């Protein structure tokens, strides 16, 4: 083979390899588009999804534009799994395609494609040379001028700090040293965590940023601050800065929304150890933030023994705090075997929190058990030793410490269910098949009567708890999130 033929063959192999890598990335992550227009649901990813003709054009544009050995990437933290977003960023009525990827040097970048003259063409590049990953990405019209801003949280490489940068399509792209049109950031600031939301009900999105100061050898613990900004005339304007509780590893979550029937505010969650969590709730009033939880005057510390994920648990548009507590009655049990209960608490807008619901979740199976009202105040749970059993519910009298098993929940692999069910029938074991999910049959076995020798009060309470058996399945939910 002569040199020219060898060179051409090498180019073809490189192009085919590049095409294969990009196409497989597209098929894996495929085209979940902003504006809630998705082209592949999670179930579609189990097999190679079909690519619509109009999406084929984007694939071809990506393949011919991005550098060799590029691969699509997803933001580390985002509510939508999106490597390619379709959204009108410049207000001309036509959607642009925003593509996030690693370039040939494994640095994250964004490329914006425009659809002009019946084809997709590269328009502007967004890059941060010191970044190694995209932590967070939002495309929003922050000032309601019809033009989008891109908010990117870059994770810094090596000794570089994490940076939040805002790019505006109201600004004119400039040529880079390589001749590519690029957007320059309008604002850059170090950050630890951030999110957007309308906290003051002015119809526009505010930007909430958690930053940490003093992470050096002279100061063992950093100082965490929460700052609220709005975006006006192409610039960030600080509304308020609040010093936060510092005895945490890091703030991992931030929610902006309605926190009582008449208040808006912010919920923060931070890790404080291998499993423990600190939670805080601030209300926005009189153009300031006020801490409403925890309240040290009432003994609240805001600390929980397991990670929390506060959210709107009942769909009423109000965010609830997730309070966690270890199941009572088993003080000497090892942490690895302990069970935790979740109480979902809604602020009443005054001084108190109201319990919306109480539940237990086993994250191994995604099984969520809403605690029936008949059990409230007289139950506990523990880890059973029986095969396929994942939680046992006990009757428990806190005053007298009278305790006995009430029910056991099982997750039996589907391929084992027939033999397990046969054994239970042979043993005359009472059970109810509840549902099937993810290759498991979920079942429950209730104890038929209270132990002999109990007082009449305990026996009546035990019987009351048994009444939920017939409708027990309605208390169960499978969560696949």
């Amino acid at each position: 083979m002569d040199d020219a033929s060898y060179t051409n063959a090498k180019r073809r192999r490189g192009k085919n390899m590049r095409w294969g890598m990009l196409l497989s990335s597209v098929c894996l992550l495929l085209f979940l588009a902003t504006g809630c227009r998705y082209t592949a649901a999670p179930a579609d990813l189990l097999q190679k999804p079909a690519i619509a003709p109009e999406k084929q054009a984007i694939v071809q544009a990506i393949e011919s534009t991005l550098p060799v050995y590029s691969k699509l990437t997803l933001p580390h933290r985002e509510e939508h799994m999106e490597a390619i977003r379709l959204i009108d960023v410049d207000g001309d009525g036509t959607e642009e395609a925003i593509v996030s990827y690693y370039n040939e040097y494994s640095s994250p970048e964004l490329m914006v494609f425009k659809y002009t003259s019946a084809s997709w063409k590269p328009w502007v590049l967004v890059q941060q040379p010191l970044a190694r990953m995209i932590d967070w990405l939002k495309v929003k019209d922050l000032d309601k001028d019809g033009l989008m801003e891109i908010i990117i949280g870059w994770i810094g490489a090596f000794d570089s700090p994490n940076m939040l940068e805002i790019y505006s399509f109201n600004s004119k792209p400039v040529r880079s040293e390589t001749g590519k049109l690029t957007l320059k950031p309008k604002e850059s600031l170090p950050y630890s965590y951030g999110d957007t939301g309308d906290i003051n009900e002015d119809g526009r999105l505010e930007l909430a940023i958690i930053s940490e100061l003093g992470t050096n050898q002279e100061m063992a613990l950093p100082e965490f601050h929460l700052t609220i900004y709005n975006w006006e005339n192409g610039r960030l304007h600080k509304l308020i800065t609040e010093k936060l509780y510092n005895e945490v590893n890091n703030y991992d979550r931030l929610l902006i929304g309605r926190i009582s029937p008449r208040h808006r505010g912010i919920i923060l969650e931070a890790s404080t150890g291998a499993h423990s969590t600190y939670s805080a709730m601030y209300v926005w009033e009189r153009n300031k933030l006020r801490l409403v939880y925890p309240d040290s005057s009432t003994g609240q510390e805001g600390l929980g023994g397991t990670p929390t994920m506060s959210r709107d648990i009942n769909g009423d548009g109000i965010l609830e705090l997730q309070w966690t507590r270890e199941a009572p009655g088993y003080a000497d049990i090892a942490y690895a075997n302990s069970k935790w209960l979740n109480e979902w608490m809604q602020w009443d807008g005054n001084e108190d929190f109201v319990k919306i619901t109480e539940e237990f979740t086993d994250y191994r199976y995604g099984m969520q058990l809403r605690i029936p009202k008949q059990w409230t105040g007289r139950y506990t749970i523990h880890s059973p030793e029986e095969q396929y059993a994942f939680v046992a519910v006990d009757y428990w009298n806190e005053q007298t410490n009278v305790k006995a098993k009430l029910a056991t929940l099982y997750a039996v692999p589907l391929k084992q269910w027939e033999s397990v069910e046969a054994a239970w029938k042979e043993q005359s074991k009472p059970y109810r098949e509840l549902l099937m999910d993810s290759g498991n049959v979920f079942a429950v076995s209730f104890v038929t009567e209270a132990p002999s020798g109990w007082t009449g009060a305990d026996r009546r309470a035990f019987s009351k708890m048994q009444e939920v058996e017939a409708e027990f399945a309605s208390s169960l939910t499978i969560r696949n999130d």
Side-chain angles (χ1 to χ4, degrees):
M1 181 181 294
D2 58 27
D3 290 343
S5 299
Y6 175 79
T7 300
N8 290 334
K10 185 175 180 182
R11 286 175 178 170
R12 285 195 299 271
R13 285 197 300 271
K15 186 176 181 63
N16 289 339
M17 181 183 296
R18 171 183 170 193
W19 164 249
M21 292 175 65
L22 279 168
L23 183 57
S24 62
S25 296
V26 171
C27 290
L28 179 63
L29 302 173
L30 185 70
F31 296 139
L32 303 176
T34 295
C36 296
R37 296 202 307 114
Y38 302 109
T39 59
D44 296 330
L45 302 182
L46 297 176
Q47 56 186 359
K48 182 178 177 180
I51 303 176
E54 64 272 19
K55 301 301 185 297
Q56 284 281 9
I58 302 177
V59 173
Q60 293 171 5
I62 293 172
E63 193 276 330
S64 62
T65 303
L66 298 189
V68 177
Y69 305 119
S70 297
K71 60 180 180 180
L72 300 184
T73 184
L74 297 171
H76 178 67
R77 174 179 66 88
E78 184 55 271
E79 63 263 29
H80 303 305
M81 301 292 284
E82 302 170 330
I84 301 173
R85 306 168 179 228
L86 299 178
I87 187 169
D88 180 10
V89 298
D90 56 3
D92 65 355
T94 301
E95 290 180 327
E96 283 72 41
I98 301 176
V99 181
S100 54
Y101 63 95
Y102 287 112
N103 64 20
E104 68 271 38
Y105 305 110
S106 297
S107 296
E109 294 181 342
L110 294 185
M111 177 69 76
V112 183
F113 290 81
K114 257 188 172 301
Y115 191 73
T116 59
S117 302
S119 64
W120 288 97
K121 298 177 181 177
W123 178 26
V124 292
L125 178 69
V126 177
Q127 59 186 175
Q128 169 49 262
L130 297 180
R132 62 182 173 86
M133 189 182 299
I134 297 175
D135 174 48
W136 178 56
L137 172 62
K138 281 283 183 79
V139 183
K140 296 290 184 181
D141 184 0
L142 295 177
D143 52 7
K144 299 297 182 181
D145 66 350
L147 302 174
M148 295 293 170
E149 281 74 43
I150 295 180
I151 310 167
I152 305 180
W154 302 100
I155 296 179
F158 305 108
D159 294 331
S160 302
N162 295 346
M163 296 294 295
L164 184 133
E165 296 189 326
I166 301 180
Y167 305 79
S168 176
F169 286 94
N170 200 16
S171 60
K172 186 177 180 180
V174 297
R175 293 284 178 185
S176 67
E177 295 178 355
T178 60
K180 295 179 180 178
L181 279 179
T182 63
L183 278 182
K184 296 297 182 183
K186 301 284 288 185
E187 294 280 1
S188 299
L189 64 157
Y191 95 114
S192 175
Y193 199 95
D195 213 333
T196 59
D198 184 3
I199 194 171
N200 56 7
E201 295 190 284
D202 65 352
R204 296 184 301 172
L205 295 177
E206 280 71 48
L207 180 63
I209 297 298
I210 296 174
S211 57
E212 50 184 301
L213 304 174
T215 51
N216 54 43
Q217 294 181 351
E218 288 76 23
M219 185 178 293
L221 289 175
E223 286 190 359
F224 291 95
H225 294 81
L226 170 66
T227 306
I228 308 296
Y229 299 91
N230 63 14
W231 181 261
E232 289 184 1
N233 300 320
R235 291 295 175 190
L236 286 176
H237 297 269
K238 183 168 66 176
L239 300 180
I240 189 74
T241 294
E242 185 78 15
K243 187 176 179 180
L244 301 178
Y245 177 71
N246 287 328
E247 295 183 25
V248 303
N249 295 336
N250 200 39
Y251 281 88
D252 307 309
R253 202 156 174 263
L254 183 158
L255 300 171
I256 301 175
R258 192 164 298 282
I259 59 171
S260 88
R262 62 181 190 278
H263 295 95
R264 296 185 71 81
I266 290 180
I267 293 176
L268 304 177
E269 292 175 336
S271 59
T272 60
H275 305 284
S276 53
T277 302
Y278 168 78
S279 300
M281 175 185 284
Y282 291 84
V283 63
W284 180 266
E285 57 184 14
R286 298 188 179 95
N287 295 320
K288 293 183 179 180
L289 291 172
R290 177 172 67 87
L291 183 67
V292 296
Y293 178 84
D295 183 352
S296 59
S297 66
T298 61
Q300 296 171 342
E301 297 180 335
L303 300 175
T306 61
T308 59
M309 293 284 285
S310 298
R311 65 182 188 277
D312 177 11
I313 192 67
N314 60 349
D316 65 352
I318 301 173
L319 296 171
E320 282 81 35
L321 284 170
Q322 181 186 357
W323 292 0
T324 63
R325 62 185 176 93
E326 193 170 6
Y330 290 93
D332 299 328
I333 198 168
Y335 184 90
N337 295 323
S338 62
K339 295 292 187 183
W340 293 82
L341 299 166
N342 300 316
E343 297 176 308
W344 294 91
M345 310 299 292
Q346 186 178 108
W347 185 45
D348 67 359
N350 296 308
E351 302 297 329
D352 296 323
F353 283 85
V354 178
K355 186 188 296 186
I356 299 301
T357 189
E358 187 170 338
E359 51 94 3
F360 163 75
T361 298
D362 191 302
Y363 294 98
R364 295 170 300 172
Y365 303 106
M367 172 62 75
Q368 181 174 290
L369 169 62
R370 177 176 47 82
I371 303 303
K373 291 182 179 179
Q374 296 93 323
W375 294 2
T376 304
R378 50 191 179 198
Y379 83 99
T380 187
I381 60 176
H382 70 274
S383 297
E385 296 181 358
E386 187 179 355
Q387 187 178 25
Y388 305 126
F390 64 90
V391 66
V393 180
D394 299 330
Y395 170 81
W396 180 59
N397 186 324
E398 184 176 5
Q399 282 70 39
T400 63
N401 202 33
V402 170
K403 181 167 51 181
K405 185 182 294 185
L406 171 75
T408 304
L409 276 80
Y410 301 86
V412 183
L414 186 58
K415 61 183 179 181
Q416 304 294 337
W417 174 244
E418 186 175 347
S419 61
V420 170
E421 185 179 31
W424 286 356
K425 288 180 178 178
E426 185 177 346
Q427 300 164 13
S428 298
K429 177 174 181 161
Y431 71 94
R432 285 180 182 267
E433 183 178 345
L434 300 171
L435 54 88
M436 287 191 297
D437 185 84
S438 302
N440 291 305
V441 176
F442 292 89
V444 64
S445 175
F446 272 79
V447 174
T448 56
E449 61 180 310
S452 60
W454 275 14
T455 65
D458 282 326
R459 294 184 68 85
R460 286 191 295 273
F462 190 91
S463 178
K464 192 71 174 176
M465 292 177 68
Q466 287 177 310
E467 292 178 359
V468 307
E469 180 181 0
E471 299 178 355
F472 186 74
S474 64
S475 299
L476 298 175
T477 304
I478 296 292
R479 291 181 53 189
N480 294 312
D481 56 351

